[in-house]
Amino acid sequence: MFVEEAIWIARRIATILHKVNTVLDVGSSTYIYRTVDQPHVGALFRLLKSLGKRVYYMDIKDGEGVDIVCDVTDRQCIENILRDYGSFDLVIAANLLEHVKDIKATIENLSKLTSKFLIITVPRIYFYHPDPIDNLFRPKCEKLKEVLMKYGFAPVCCEEIRIRYPYLRKRLIYALATINLILQGQSQPAIINFKALFSKWIQTCALFVKVV
């Protein structure tokens, strides 16, 4: 998550804070990742906790600071969460949809996990970055809203935000990775990388409310 994303999420949460008591961060990674690698992520959730909100962390991999280990595409796993925890007022899925094998199943399960709100961020212009996969989902706002509305969500707001810091070292690393993709014959990821190399990075960020 970029700093600009964390700021956007914080501002959107501020508008619904009075309606939120429980928060689930899907694809949270570990405590070290949230506090050392990306301290702005940890700061966001510490703020929520300081305001009396109950925050839970869910990831496909176990680790320190992960409360719930679950594959978000696994229906039975989601049912187990609902049995043990109930649904959550707010579910946050930041930079998740581009890393799942089944986007449809993921959104269906996210709709089960939240009783009120869903925040999604996803790259619009960014490098191919498999973790463990990258399905190349790079939607504009209109596309993201179109997809989510099929699953009982109504858009509250959606923005395509520019990442201002240039991240020159990261660009160099991905430039070398692009050469490797070309040598491997992976043309579509290579095209995405070329665009990201010479453009401002953009994240599509959206807040949805559950209506069904």
Side-chain angles (χ1 to χ4, degrees):
M1 183 190 297
F2 293 103
V3 172
E4 291 89 341
E5 279 179 271
I7 293 171
W8 189 94
I9 290 171
R11 287 174 175 169
R12 298 292 80 74
I13 291 177
T15 66
I16 58 173
L17 195 62
H18 60 292
K19 298 180 180 179
V20 171
N21 289 308
T22 55
V23 180
L24 177 66
D25 180 25
V26 180
S28 66
S29 194
T30 63
Y31 175 80
I32 294 297
Y33 178 83
R34 296 191 303 267
T35 58
V36 177
D37 297 339
Q38 295 200 346
H40 49 282
V41 175
L44 170 65
F45 291 112
R46 282 197 303 275
L47 176 60
L48 286 172
K49 289 180 178 180
S50 73
L51 295 171
K53 310 306 178 182
R54 298 194 303 277
V55 178
Y56 301 87
Y57 302 102
M58 171 179 151
D59 201 87
I60 194 172
K61 296 175 288 188
D62 196 6
E64 182 185 2
V66 177
D67 300 308
I68 303 169
V69 179
C70 181
D71 179 348
V72 71
T73 64
D74 185 335
R75 180 175 297 180
Q76 184 57 56
C77 190
I78 299 301
E79 294 298 331
N80 292 342
I81 293 172
L82 294 172
R83 180 196 64 211
D84 296 340
Y85 294 86
S87 59
F88 302 84
D89 297 329
L90 169 63
V91 169
I92 300 173
N95 300 294
L96 174 74
L97 292 185
E98 74 270 27
H99 295 304
V100 298
K101 293 181 179 179
D102 191 335
I103 292 176
K104 176 182 177 182
T106 298
I107 297 174
E108 286 179 343
N109 287 335
L110 291 174
S111 73
K112 294 176 182 178
L113 288 170
T114 182
S115 58
K116 296 179 182 178
F117 300 103
L118 173 65
I119 287 177
I120 286 183
T121 72
V122 66
R124 173 69 188 96
I125 297 177
Y126 190 65
F127 296 103
Y128 174 72
H129 57 294
D131 182 25
I133 67 166
D134 185 339
N135 57 32
L136 307 181
F137 187 55
R138 300 292 192 274
K140 294 183 178 181
C141 271
E142 289 308 310
K143 178 61 177 179
L144 186 61
K145 289 189 287 186
E146 176 188 326
V147 171
L148 268 291
M149 287 170 68
K150 294 177 181 177
Y151 298 94
F153 291 102
V156 177
C157 63
C158 185
E159 296 181 61
E160 295 171 28
I161 62 172
R162 291 181 179 273
I163 307 304
R164 299 184 181 281
Y165 189 74
Y167 293 97
L168 296 178
R169 182 173 177 272
K170 184 173 284 190
R171 287 178 186 268
L172 176 59
I173 292 171
Y174 278 112
L176 298 174
T178 302
I179 295 172
N180 192 43
L181 289 171
I182 293 171
L183 293 175
Q184 293 175 357
Q186 297 189 53
S187 58
Q188 193 171 1
I191 290 170
I192 283 178
N193 277 14
F194 269 118
K195 186 174 184 180
L197 276 171
F198 302 106
S199 304
K200 286 279 190 181
W201 299 342
I202 296 176
Q203 293 289 114
T204 300
C205 304
L207 167 63
F208 294 90
V209 62
K210 189 173 182 180
V211 292
V212 181

